[in-house]
C-alpha cells in the first residue's frame, strides 16, 4: 500500500515526506499537512478498515479503496 500511495502522490503532483519509524516507512506529511508533536497526523484505511500493520506491509491485491485521513487530537 505504501508504494501505490507514493505512485498516486507523484502522479498527481502531491508533495509528501516519508521517513522510517520503527524500521517501517511512514508518511510524515502529505501536501501541507504534517505530523507534529503527537497531536496530529496521518492514518489510513483500506476498504474502510484501519489495518494494524504498517502501510508497507499491507497488500492491495483484491482491495478497492485506500484512504489517507488527517487527524488531530486536542483536549
Amino acid at each position: 500500500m505504501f508504494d501505490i500511495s507514493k505512485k498516486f502522490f507523484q502522479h498527481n503532483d502531491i508533495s509528501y515526506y516519508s521517513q522510517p519509524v520503527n524500521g517501517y516507512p511512514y508518511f510524515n506529511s502529505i501536501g501541507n499537512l504534517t505530523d507534529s508533536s503527537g497531536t496530529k497526523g496521518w492514518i489510513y484505511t483500506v476498504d474502510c478498515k484501519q489495518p494494524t500493520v504498517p502501510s508497507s506491509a499491507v497488500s492491495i491485491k483484491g482491495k478497492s479503496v485506500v484512504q489517507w485521513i488527517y487527524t488531530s487530537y486536542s483536549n
Side-chain angles (χ1 to χ4, degrees), residues 46-47 59-65:
V46 179
D47 287 349
S59 171
I60 59 165
K61 185 176 181 178
K63 307 294 190 238
S64 299
V65 178

Side-chain angles (χ1 to χ4, degrees), residues 10-69:
Q10 291 167 348
H11 180 76
N12 290 282
D13 295 320
I14 299 170
S15 62
Y16 66 90
Y17 172 72
S18 65
Q19 65 184 38
V21 173
N22 297 325
Y24 297 98
Y26 171 77
F27 284 115
N28 185 273
S29 67
I30 301 171
N32 65 344
L33 298 174
T34 63
D35 187 353
S36 65
S37 68
T39 60
K40 50 182 127 176
W42 288 96
I43 62 169
Y44 58 91
T45 63
V46 179
D47 287 349
C48 301
K49 296 178 184 173
Q50 186 178 2
T52 58
V53 296
S55 61
S56 60
V58 177
S59 171
I60 59 165
K61 185 176 181 178
K63 307 294 190 238
S64 299
V65 178
V66 171
Q67 185 176 28
W68 285 93
I69 303 165

